[in-house]
Amino acid sequence: MTVVADKPELLTEAFQNIQSDVDSAFDAFLPVPQDSRARLVEAMRYAAIGAGKRVRPLLVVATADLFGVNRSAAVNAGCAVEAIHAYSLIHDDLPCMDDDELRHGKPTVHRAFDEATAVLAGDCLHALAFDILTQPDTSTDPFVRAELVGALAKASGHDGMAGGQMMDIVAGEQDYDLRQVTRLQQLKTGALLAASVEMGAVLGRVPPEGRTQLRAYARDIGLSFQIADDLLDVEGDEGKAGKALRKDEAQGKATFVTLMGVDAARRQAGMLVEQAADHLASHGDDARLLIELARFIVKRDH
Amino acid sequence: MTVVADKPELLTEAFQNIQSDVDSAFDAFLPVPQDSRARLVEAMRYAAIGAGKRVRPLLVVATADLFGVNRSAAVNAGCAVEAIHAYSLIHDDLPCMDDDELRHGKPTVHRAFDEATAVLAGDCLHALAFDILTQPDTSTDPFVRAELVGALAKASGHDGMAGGQMMDIVAGEQDYDLRQVTRLQQLKTGALLAASVEMGAVLGRVPPEGRTQLRAYARDIGLSFQIADDLLDVEGDEGKAGKALRKDEAQGKATFVTLMGVDAARRQAGMLVEQAADHLASHGDDARLLIELARFIVKRDH
């Protein structure tokens, strides 16, 4: 067991800082053009600025911090992951996908703008992610830039996030067992969380053979994140969540909660978080932010 | 004027070779997984394999050829551009965008599969493009890989292809003049054609200051490509085009043809192609494929 003490105030401050830094960075990346693309960029800004907890950027920054990486470089890489996350939410919310009306407590992009603009704004945030990663501000070392792009492209495509989303779409027609639900979630949610940690390590010039413990941490928090999401879907408050809940049950989808029950799911999530913390033992007190973040992931109410 | 003679048989052979190489490469990039993502990857393969003329990959390969680049590296980069082009067609064809039923003479992806699968297949081809560019097979030099990614991300996002698509969506409501239509097309079509030439030069390790003539060539063929498209929209055969035509007029959109008239548009396209050829004069006979390709762009009947 890790000996690092609970320090929730550390996490609160870290969230405030990353939310402010990510918002400022997107504001700078996305000036509104003086032509008929204005509506498109406004939609990108609506989705990317002032929304979301910024768990993924914080993972990038907190991992990069272990290795003394320049903060603005890590914030840039965090924005790239967040741009991918934001595009995926826009597309997942579309009428032909989950048909959601609310996200982060405000109308979804296709409701606030229109469907065509939502599709394009998602596509443009997708491209922006890779544009950001190839800027010298993110890293002056092209090897690092290329490795960041590779990690993010792999984690977001058909062998990652979007592949998991496809498995989720057909979940209602299929009787997934615990192994298949775990696989689905490793792709849909876990891949991008793992990429966040990986990219922090890439920025820190940690060679692949030195990333074993960080990857184990990322795998455990990815799974506990999704178990916590499934618990929130059953027990959460729609007002706090800022989106519709209890959709899995209505669609007859297997989740960790339907397969394991509420109590076992909660125990499993708690166990995974402590296991995640143990993987970082060699970093001692330096890892306290990553450990607080892991604990937050299962305790959060939204 | 260029002294290079017409050699259409050179172009025919080059198209056959690139079509075969691109199909083989996508087949290798996209093995169908043995789980519920199979439908997603089938949709990606449906859109990416055996469809389209492969103008963009041929531009990459023919440009790279000027500098003695290994063919399989150039084919990989060409596949990345084509993956972006293919994703954009899937999304442009969606009911909320152009609502098209036919593409390359067969049902569009959302018709052959469904809308949700089409959105995701587009997103995954988008990610695949950047995944391909970061593979060591594309270049062993990370600087080249990072520069390829940067060029493609910039050309496809809100300052490139997708930005042009947004301008096109609102074109029906706006009275674009020739300057605005030119700007729209430089983004919507020109940016990706220019990126193809640029990426060939990047693979050939041509420094930015050595790319002036190639960029001028790319700009001219980009514009002539779109003028030819507007002419085809008015005069073309839907069977040969494999898609619906005469949509611009129905939507009341300004095009090069509505603004200039058929004859002036055709003269302008021809003039631009010869100007494009002149930009390559210093390459002598080595540039004959790029010149034939420019001529094909205005003469094609689909």
Side-chain angles (χ1 to χ4, degrees):
Chain A
M1 288 291 291
T2 172
V3 292
V4 176
D6 261 0
K7 285 193 185 165
E9 71 283 1
L10 182 77
L11 189 67
T12 306
E13 196 187 322
F15 267 124
Q16 283 168 353
N17 289 338
I18 193 72
Q19 285 160 6
S20 161
D21 286 350
V22 167
D23 281 352
S24 300
F26 276 127
D27 183 53
F29 288 135
L30 293 170
V32 179
Q34 299 297 310
D35 59 32
S36 46
R37 291 172 301 140
R39 181 181 179 81
L40 173 64
V41 179
E42 292 287 7
M44 295 170 75
R45 294 175 63 91
Y46 179 86
I49 298 175
K53 296 180 289 290
R54 312 300 194 190
V55 167
R56 291 156 194 80
L58 185 53
L59 271 174
V60 177
V61 169
T63 305
D65 252 0
L66 292 178
F67 310 103
V69 174
N70 168 288
R71 181 173 175 92
S72 77
V75 167
N76 267 19
C79 283
V81 184
E82 197 70 358
I84 293 288
H85 179 56
Y87 111 67
S88 79
L89 296 180
I90 298 175
H91 284 185
D92 287 359
D93 287 339
L94 286 170
C96 69
M97 305 275 274
D98 293 347
D99 196 13
D100 274 308
E101 294 176 31
L102 283 179
R103 170 71 65 181
H104 300 132
K106 56 184 191 178
T108 46
V109 176
H110 66 273
R111 290 256 170 177
F113 295 81
D114 59 79
E115 271 188 67
T117 303
V119 171
L120 280 174
D123 291 341
C124 289
L125 283 168
H126 195 165
L128 177 67
F130 297 108
D131 184 15
I132 291 171
L133 291 183
T134 55
Q135 295 180 10
D137 286 352
T138 304
S139 172
T140 52
D141 181 345
F143 192 87
V144 168
R145 298 205 294 271
E147 201 177 352
L148 292 172
V149 171
L152 191 55
K154 195 70 85 184
S156 58
H158 65 283
D159 282 330
M161 178 189 77
Q165 174 66 5
M166 186 73 213
M167 291 182 77
D168 198 24
I169 285 174
V170 296
E173 310 155 16
Q174 315 236 351
D175 260 334
Y176 287 146
D177 58 20
L178 195 57
R179 194 185 59 81
Q180 288 165 310
V181 167
T182 303
R183 171 78 177 140
L184 183 166
Q185 299 301 352
Q186 273 174 342
L187 295 175
K188 189 182 174 195
T189 314
L192 213 54
L193 293 168
S196 305
V197 172
E198 188 84 11
M199 289 164 73
V202 169
L203 284 169
R205 294 163 184 273
V206 181
E209 60 274 17
R211 299 177 200 161
T212 311
Q213 295 299 315
L214 286 168
R215 286 175 178 169
Y217 162 85
R219 196 172 49 242
D220 289 340
I221 64 164
L223 213 49
S224 58
F225 189 97
Q226 192 55 45
I227 296 175
D229 242 25
D230 288 351
L231 285 164
L232 276 172
D233 192 66
V234 173
E235 303 181 323
D237 179 295
E238 295 204 348
K240 281 186 183 161
K243 62 179 180 182
L245 296 177
R246 279 163 283 283
K247 296 180 59 174
D248 289 338
E249 193 183 350
Q251 292 167 17
K253 284 183 187 173
T255 71
F256 289 111
V257 173
T258 65
L259 291 168
M260 302 172 75
V262 166
D263 292 342
R266 186 173 291 115
R267 276 197 306 275
Q268 177 77 0
M271 190 275 288
L272 283 165
V273 164
E274 292 315 310
Q275 186 175 298
D278 287 347
H279 289 305
L280 303 181
S282 67
H283 293 283
D285 210 43
D286 289 347
R288 62 193 186 281
L289 182 56
L290 285 171
I291 292 171
E292 287 303 332
L293 186 50
R295 288 182 183 146
F296 164 80
I297 279 172
V298 294
K299 283 190 203 149
R300 70 201 154 95
D301 59 5
H302 64 287
Chain B
M1 288 289 291
T2 173
V3 293
V4 176
D6 263 1
K7 284 195 186 164
E9 69 284 1
L10 182 78
L11 190 67
T12 307
E13 197 186 320
F15 267 126
Q16 283 167 353
N17 289 339
I18 194 70
Q19 285 160 6
S20 162
D21 287 349
V22 167
D23 281 352
S24 300
F26 276 128
D27 184 53
F29 288 134
L30 292 170
V32 180
Q34 299 297 310
D35 58 32
S36 45
R37 293 173 300 140
R39 180 181 180 81
L40 173 64
V41 179
E42 292 288 6
M44 295 170 75
R45 295 175 62 92
Y46 179 85
I49 299 175
K53 296 180 288 291
R54 312 301 193 188
V55 167
R56 292 156 194 82
L58 186 53
L59 271 173
V60 178
V61 169
T63 306
D65 252 0
L66 292 178
F67 310 103
V69 174
N70 167 289
R71 181 172 175 91
S72 76
V75 167
N76 267 20
C79 283
V81 185
E82 197 69 0
I84 293 288
H85 179 56
Y87 111 67
S88 79
L89 297 180
I90 298 175
H91 285 185
D92 287 0
D93 288 339
L94 286 170
C96 68
M97 305 274 275
D98 293 347
D99 196 14
D100 274 309
E101 294 175 30
L102 283 179
R103 172 69 67 182
H104 303 309
K106 57 183 192 178
T108 47
V109 175
H110 66 273
R111 290 256 170 177
F113 294 82
D114 58 78
E115 272 188 67
T117 303
V119 171
L120 280 175
D123 291 341
C124 289
L125 284 168
H126 195 165
L128 178 66
F130 296 107
D131 184 16
I132 291 171
L133 291 183
T134 54
Q135 294 179 11
D137 286 353
T138 303
S139 172
T140 52
D141 182 345
F143 192 87
V144 168
R145 298 204 294 269
E147 202 177 351
L148 292 172
V149 170
L152 191 55
K154 196 71 84 185
S156 58
H158 65 285
D159 283 330
M161 179 190 77
Q165 174 65 5
M166 185 74 213
M167 292 181 77
D168 199 24
I169 285 175
V170 295
E173 311 154 17
Q174 316 237 349
D175 259 336
Y176 287 147
D177 58 21
L178 195 57
R179 194 186 60 80
Q180 288 165 311
V181 167
T182 303
R183 170 80 176 138
L184 183 167
Q185 298 302 352
Q186 272 174 342
L187 294 175
K188 189 182 174 195
T189 313
L192 212 55
L193 293 168
S196 305
V197 173
E198 187 85 12
M199 289 164 73
V202 169
L203 284 170
R205 293 164 185 277
V206 182
E209 60 274 17
R211 300 177 199 161
T212 311
Q213 293 300 315
L214 286 168
R215 286 176 178 168
Y217 162 84
R219 197 172 49 241
D220 288 340
I221 63 164
L223 214 48
S224 58
F225 189 96
Q226 191 55 45
I227 297 174
D229 242 26
D230 287 351
L231 285 164
L232 276 172
D233 192 65
V234 173
E235 302 182 323
D237 179 297
E238 295 205 348
K240 280 184 185 162
K243 63 179 179 181
L245 296 177
R246 279 164 281 284
K247 296 180 59 176
D248 289 337
E249 193 184 349
Q251 293 167 16
K253 285 184 187 173
T255 70
F256 290 110
V257 173
T258 64
L259 293 169
M260 303 172 75
V262 167
D263 292 342
R266 185 173 292 115
R267 276 197 307 276
Q268 175 78 0
M271 189 275 287
L272 283 166
V273 164
E274 291 314 311
Q275 185 175 299
D278 287 347
H279 289 305
L280 302 181
S282 67
H283 293 282
D285 210 41
D286 289 348
R288 62 193 187 281
L289 183 56
L290 284 172
I291 293 171
E292 288 301 331
L293 187 50
R295 289 182 182 146
F296 165 80
I297 279 172
V298 293
K299 284 189 200 150
R300 71 202 154 95
D301 60 4
H302 65 285

